[in-house]
Structure formats: structure tokens, C-alpha cells
Amino acid sequence: MFEEEDPPEATRGETKEEKRKRRYFEKLETHKTDLKDRSKEYVPADDPNVEGDPYKTIIVARLNYETTEKTLKKEFERYGPVKRVRIVRDPKTEKSRGYGFVEFEKVEDFKTAYKQANERRIDGRKVVVDYERGRTIAGWLPKRLGGGLGDTRNTTPSFLKGAVRPRNR
């Protein structure tokens, strides 16, 4: 049977570690292409829920999920007159997503709140205050689209660093 032809090359299957790495990189590539597609569609200025002047608007993050617009307005009126308050909610459940926007009437009040309100306690939680970046910085993307601040999601799995992974027993 094989007298006329050379025998077929022996194929080697992949190990568990090789399979894990291969699947990791496959998922990583699909995730990157998905982020590219979604980031092309991201235009914060076209969002129907967004109103007002972005240069007078701060974002308040890490809010207590029970915090209301009324409470947020009351807390930030100490820095100056507040024009509008919006807490972002899940469209299906109407539950708070833990962040909101406060628009001031004057730029000076916006600057004062930006400088002084960070790490202030509102409803028992320390909040983070920052200026709105989506409409003020060209090309800026939120963290959910691969942008944002910090590198908390840019971690390399231990099996790619050469570390030995513990076995489940």
C-alpha cells in the first residue's frame, strides 16, 4: 500500500496549555474587532439623552444606587446654581448604573465643583468627580469601548507570563 508513496507525516496534537493560549488569542482578536466596530458607531454628541453644555458638565461616578437626582442636585448646589442633573439608568430595569451628570449654569461653578467635590461622600459612598470627556475630547472612547482612563483592564493572564497555574483539585 505505501510501497509506492512515502508514509504520511505524523501529526502532533496540541497540549492543554497550547490550546488555552490559542483560544485566548482567538477570543482576543474577536474582541478587538468587535471593539473597533462598536467604537466607529460611538458618537456621544448624537446621543438623544445628552443635553447641555459639555464644558459646564461634570460626571459623578461611584454613586450609591439609591441616590436620586434630587439628592445629587442638593449636594452640588453648594458649588453654584445647577442647571440640570441626570443619573444614568438601565433602560430595561430603570435601576441606576452608578453614575450621573451635573450641569452648572456657570463655568466658574463647574471648575469649583470639579476641584472640590472629588471623593466627597454622598449617601455613604465616596464619589469620583471628573469633567465630561465624551463631548470635549476628540476621539475619546469610554472604557467599555477600549478607551477610558487607567489600565485596570489591561492585565495579562498568568499562563501567558510563564507562571504555573494551580490545578483545580
Side-chain angles (χ1 to χ4, degrees):
M1 175 174 186
F2 291 115
E3 296 169 10
E4 298 169 10
E5 301 174 14
D6 290 333
E9 289 289 322
T11 56
R12 184 180 144 278
E14 62 184 353
T15 64
K16 279 187 174 183
E17 196 64 28
E18 290 169 340
K19 182 179 179 181
R20 183 180 294 130
K21 285 181 184 178
R22 178 183 53 80
R23 290 179 68 199
Y24 171 80
F25 285 114
E26 286 172 357
K27 285 182 182 179
L28 191 65
E29 280 305 310
T30 57
H31 181 68
K32 282 182 182 179
T33 55
D34 183 44
L35 282 180
K36 275 186 185 176
D37 296 342
R38 288 181 27 212
S39 65
K40 288 176 187 173
E41 298 169 6
Y42 177 73
V43 183
D46 294 346
D47 187 347
N49 297 321
V50 178
E51 298 176 15
D53 185 356
Y55 295 98
K56 295 180 187 175
T57 305
I58 59 172
I59 179 171
V60 185
R62 297 185 187 166
L63 285 172
N64 186 326
Y65 294 106
E66 305 299 318
T67 301
T68 63
E69 280 89 351
K70 184 178 178 181
T71 308
L72 202 55
K73 184 174 183 174
K74 183 179 171 187
E75 287 290 332
F76 281 93
E77 280 182 333
R78 68 180 59 189
Y79 303 108
V82 173
K83 189 173 182 180
R84 184 178 296 114
V85 175
R86 179 175 158 251
I87 292 180
V88 178
R89 300 187 180 283
D90 184 292
K92 294 176 186 169
T93 64
E94 289 299 314
K95 290 183 180 178
S96 169
R97 297 197 52 198
Y99 68 98
F101 297 91
V102 178
E103 181 186 358
F104 290 91
E105 292 183 10
K106 299 178 188 172
V107 175
E108 297 81 26
D109 300 333
F110 156 80
K111 289 179 182 178
T112 305
Y114 173 69
K115 290 177 184 174
Q116 295 179 4
N118 197 34
E119 295 190 359
R120 176 173 197 75
R121 284 200 175 273
I122 299 176
D123 288 342
R125 303 250 333 239
K126 272 189 181 179
V127 297
V128 174
V129 175
D130 203 357
Y131 59 92
E132 183 182 345
R133 295 174 190 272
R135 296 186 294 160
T136 57
I137 299 174
W140 187 85
L141 294 172
K143 191 164 241 174
R144 67 185 165 86
L145 296 177
L149 300 175
D151 59 354
T152 56
R153 293 187 185 176
N154 295 336
T155 58
T156 304
S158 59
F159 66 89
L160 292 177
K161 294 178 185 176
V164 178
R165 295 183 69 165
R167 293 182 182 212
N168 295 336
R169 292 182 185 198

